[in-house]
Amino acid sequence: MSLSVRQILVAVVAAAIAASPNTGCAEALSWSDTEIAILRSLAIDNLPPLPADPTNSVADDPRAAEFGQQLFFDARLSATGSVSCSTCHQAERHFTDGLDKGQGIGQSKRNTPSIVGVAYSPWLYWDGRRDSLWSQALSPLEDPVEHGGNRQQYAHFIETTAEYLEQYETLFGAWPDLSDPASVDLVFANLGKAIAAYERLLMPGRSRFDDYVDAVVANDAAAKQELFNPDEEHGLQLFIGEANCTQCHNGPLFTNNEFHNTGVLSYPGEVPDRGRIAGVREVLSTQFNCRSEFNDAQFKECAELEFARSGYEVMGAFRTPSLRNLAGTAPFMHKGQLKSLADVLQHYNDAPDAMIGHNEAKALNLDDRELQQIEAFLNTLTAPLSTDSKWLVAPVVPAIQAAEE
Amino acid sequence: MSVPGLVLSHGGVVEEEDLCVIKVNYLRGHFKIYQPLLDGHKEYCEDLPNASETVFVMEYLHESLGEAAVDFRIIRDVTGKGRFARWEDVAEVPDLDSATVFYREPVIDPDLLTVVHDFKEEGDFIGIVTANVDGDETIYRAVFPFEVGFTGFGYWPFFIVLLIAIQVQYLMMSGKFKRWRQGGNLVALLAVMPLFFAGKAVADSQTAWQSNRGVYTVTVTSSLEPIVINQIHSWTVHITSNGEPVSNAVLAIAGGMPAHDHGMPTRPRVTEELGAGNYKLGGMRFHMQGDWEISIEIEANGKTDTVVVMLSL
């Protein structure tokens, strides 16, 4: 008896749930001209071609990208022979690793960010402590808790690995005499430039959101309804409106690549991370920055370095990450403090005072339903990369196989 | 050894205008304590509810602290003075090290002091911040007794406890300012700007912008046309006064989005005076779509006036 009542209840509830989306989307949301302009600005069709990188003479050389891909996946570029770039930047996880903080030889100090589309950013790392893709690529190689090796070791490795030496010389000219430390620096910088050439190929693909924007622009109600359910539509409307997300997550990569303090809690056992205030100091003094002799540009234009914001206003600020494909990249924030998208949205909804510096975000006071709608929208940004799949796996190189056997 | 007058507190930490302030002699810091594992972002000034992992933050409100070697020590209260403990009492502790539960070596840090300590037990403790300002000669201290596992009133009435807890070995005054309030001018400026500009205009090379008091007229041309977000570029600013080009002007640039209460992502400045009243403004970048206001303070021939250029992206 009680069972049958329960069955009836279940049936009624199920019917209600099944009916609700239909009643909810009887009329698709209509967008204002201003909103449509914002939607178009976020669509991937609005992504300009990747600008040239004059600091890296091989940035767009396909041979450099191939060489860089081999280096990216080669664990011999580490003190232990066990850590490659792909140890943390795992292609199948959108080039992240699913951990709070990267795990190389030891635990790194921050969360592994995706590198898809990062070639568009004037700043690299959560704190922007590097100002080019190639100089960023060098830094983990010598970090004691990441790859843990040093440039002498890597230069020697290339010198004694025939197929790498050959590729190197094709790209960068005759192998230099390593007894000169300047030559070691040069070889090291060039390895970074090859890896950067590879990373420049990693680009996000067209997502359901982008198709939806097309449908909006074409004013195709049927297509809109087919592409987005009412929750996703309302989530998007909140995203570009009331929730203020596009203050920072703007443009087709959903990032302004700028630094913001959003008051994320310190990581357990650690003091609060200072972020950009330290990062800007480092990038101004680092050996391989834009002003260095390793910048290949004929005329070194280092406007970003020259006009960089510094000082207390960037205390506790971190670089805005892209939101494309974020669904598979938990945990979030610079140390993986927030474990789910729901946690992230709740955090922005509350906008607590920052432990250090000043939280730029303001409390949103959205209700749970609205936060879920934003989350539903964010999940529409998931899509396979536009990059050819051959770049997303370790290349088949005889030398690597030989080493593993 | 002298005494710097009465301080309204029971230690080196006081509450001022809702701000918890630690006074290391005349050097002040914004003091905040957190127990993130249990209380998230909840901020404490001194007494702590739990024996738990605790983060102490001291944001320097005085530049000298950023040049000083600052150390941080927490001892169990072995002075028997409880909330009345001061440096003289601490100095008499025969074996400070064995009473110490946490010690952070002196570090010169330009911005702030942060330490994390996991309190294993409840009880009375004394925090001691020491700033060594000038080599070994000048040592300033703040001593603040506090309780871990505090179960008394959350609003402990400080005002009944008049105590001097600051040890002075050196008295000097200095007119250094509060770094953390820098930028307040910009915010204030942005707040009043909309009053002067009803209606929305867009920066283009045809628009002539009048300075607030009418001294200067400005037109701007961008190297990036049209201006899009997230691309660094430069502007050429053309300045006239009574129709004549203005030369040798000094320009100060501040910009931001009044609707969002934030400034620019870069620090633009004049990189070149091009002649005929033209100035090249480098480092322009806007990181968000919407309404921007770029304030250009112009000083020439002893006359200072500010023009605000509006921009819609």
Side-chain angles (χ1 to χ4, degrees), chain A residues 63 67 158-159 162-176 190:
Chain A
R63 297 167 305 175
F67 185 32
I158 300 297
E159 189 175 35
E163 57 288 342
Y164 279 176
L165 182 61
E166 192 185 323
Q167 293 180 78
Y168 181 96
E169 290 193 319
T170 306
L171 288 163
F172 303 109
W175 186 257
N190 285 338

Side-chain angles (χ1 to χ4, degrees), chain A residues 37-38 41 46 48 122-123 244 246-248 250-251 255-258 260 262-272 274 277-278 281 303-304 306-313 315 347 352-358 360 362, chain B residues 32 34 36-37 39-43 53 55-60 104 109-116 179-180 182 229-233 259-271 281-285 287-289:
Chain A
I38 296 173
S41 76
N46 190 43
W123 304 109
N244 297 331
T246 49
Q247 271 192 47
C248 302
N250 52 38
T255 172
N256 59 3
N257 288 313
E258 252 309 307
H260 301 280
T262 57
V264 178
L265 204 62
S266 58
Y267 193 78
E270 295 181 15
V271 297
R274 296 164 189 223
I277 193 169
R281 284 188 187 120
E304 292 287 357
E306 194 178 343
F307 300 103
R309 250 180 346 149
S310 60
Y312 212 81
E313 63 179 299
M315 173 59 84
H347 173 77
D353 286 343
M355 295 172 75
I356 55 172
H358 166 68
E360 297 169 42
K362 295 188 177 71
Chain B
K32 302 185 275 190
Y34 299 88
L37 302 186
D39 289 333
H41 285 81
K42 188 168 165 51
E43 187 180 322
E53 187 171 297
V55 175
F56 295 84
V57 175
M58 176 178 172
E59 293 179 305
Y60 299 161
R104 208 282 309 261
D109 188 308
D111 310 307
L112 45 66
L113 172 145
T114 50
V115 299
V116 58
R179 242 181 334 157
W180 69 286
Q182 266 185 355
I229 59 169
N230 299 336
Q231 270 195 44
I232 200 158
H233 61 283
H260 301 298
D261 206 22
H262 65 68
M264 293 182 71
T266 51
R267 289 242 176 85
R269 63 170 188 276
V270 171
T271 53
L281 205 57
M284 300 298 288
R285 179 152 67 84
H287 57 292
M288 187 188 164
Q289 261 143 354

